[in-house]
Amino acid sequence: METRTGSERSIPHKREIHKRTADANALASGEAPIESKPARQSTRKPGSGSAKGPYYVDFRARTAASWGHAFVWYGKTSERAVEVAGLTPAGDTLPYIIGHLTWVPSETGASYGDLDPQYLTASYRVYLNEPDAKKAFAYIKKLQASSPVWNAETTNCNAFIGSIASFLGLKTPVRWKRPEDYVNSLKEMNGGRQMVQLAAEQ
């Protein structure tokens, strides 16, 4: 659900890339600070949803020239580096227009604006333990490798992050929403729970 102008598709200056990455990394580390003191023993029941694990998947939405774009950040809470995955049409405006009629080639990495905090419109972050994170991150990379096409109605950005949410055991809304509404609905449908645990057979 994204279109980009020619200027947006041009390769930014290296310093601008470094600045955007630094901003994103600072935001990632700011949203999940590292604990410097030994944690107190929790009195909450398992699955209460407030505990935070060492790894995360962050479902995000941002502004775009059209309806917006949904994507995920994922990584380790103690590290500034973030990985980005999302589904967009490959190319400029024409593939986006054609993608409303049929399938067009896709891109599944970071797109323009994904690392810019000022474009963020919604975010829902969940945390995982290390064994589950390894499975989840492997699934995301597999999904990227097996998503060669984009279509506005079917294989769109909401459907892409919805597949990730389903793998994590989260309830998902219908994909025909604005990305901002989709991410907010995803959070609401799951009660804002923060900790997720994969099924044993996954």
Side-chain angles (χ1 to χ4, degrees):
M1 289 188 177
E2 177 195 18
T3 183
R4 291 158 286 181
T5 63
S7 61
E8 289 178 331
R9 292 287 299 167
S10 62
I11 300 175
H13 193 279
K14 288 184 178 180
R15 285 181 296 180
E16 183 180 350
I17 295 176
H18 293 162
K19 180 181 181 300
R20 292 209 313 269
T21 304
D23 289 343
N25 290 341
L27 180 62
S29 61
E31 290 175 345
I34 305 170
E35 296 292 341
S36 58
K37 297 180 180 179
R40 295 180 180 179
Q41 185 175 0
S42 175
T43 58
R44 293 182 179 271
K45 296 180 180 179
S48 61
S50 62
K52 294 183 178 180
Y55 295 85
Y56 69 89
V57 175
D58 195 347
F59 299 91
R60 303 169 75 85
R62 63 165 174 80
T63 58
S66 57
W67 274 36
H69 179 52
F71 56 101
V72 297
W73 278 11
Y74 62 100
K76 192 172 184 179
T77 56
S78 61
E79 296 179 357
R80 288 189 171 187
V82 298
E83 298 222 39
V84 183
L87 187 67
T88 61
D92 294 315
T93 305
L94 184 58
Y96 172 80
I97 296 174
I98 297 175
H100 283 72
L101 304 174
T102 186
W103 288 269
V104 295
S106 70
E107 295 176 346
T108 58
S111 60
Y112 184 90
D114 290 355
L115 294 176
D116 294 291
Q118 66 267 32
Y119 298 141
L120 185 68
T121 56
S123 173
Y124 173 39
R125 177 172 292 200
V126 295
Y127 296 88
L128 309 93
N129 59 34
E130 184 171 358
D132 285 350
K134 288 182 178 180
K135 296 176 183 178
F137 295 174
Y139 175 81
I140 293 173
K141 292 186 181 299
K142 180 180 179 181
L143 185 63
Q144 288 179 289
S146 60
S147 302
V149 295
W150 178 90
N151 176 263
E153 295 295 326
T154 55
T155 52
N156 58 29
C157 60
N158 288 344
F160 183 87
I161 71 167
S163 295
I164 298 170
S166 294
F167 183 83
L168 297 180
L170 298 172
K171 299 176 182 178
T172 57
V174 295
R175 61 178 176 267
W176 300 289
K177 288 177 175 282
R178 289 183 178 274
E180 178 181 357
D181 295 335
Y182 186 90
V183 173
N184 286 332
S185 295
L186 178 66
K187 183 176 183 178
E188 182 179 356
M189 289 179 66
N190 291 281
R193 61 183 284 201
Q194 289 186 300
M195 196 71 192
V196 296
Q197 186 172 4
L198 301 186
E201 62 271 14
Q202 286 181 280

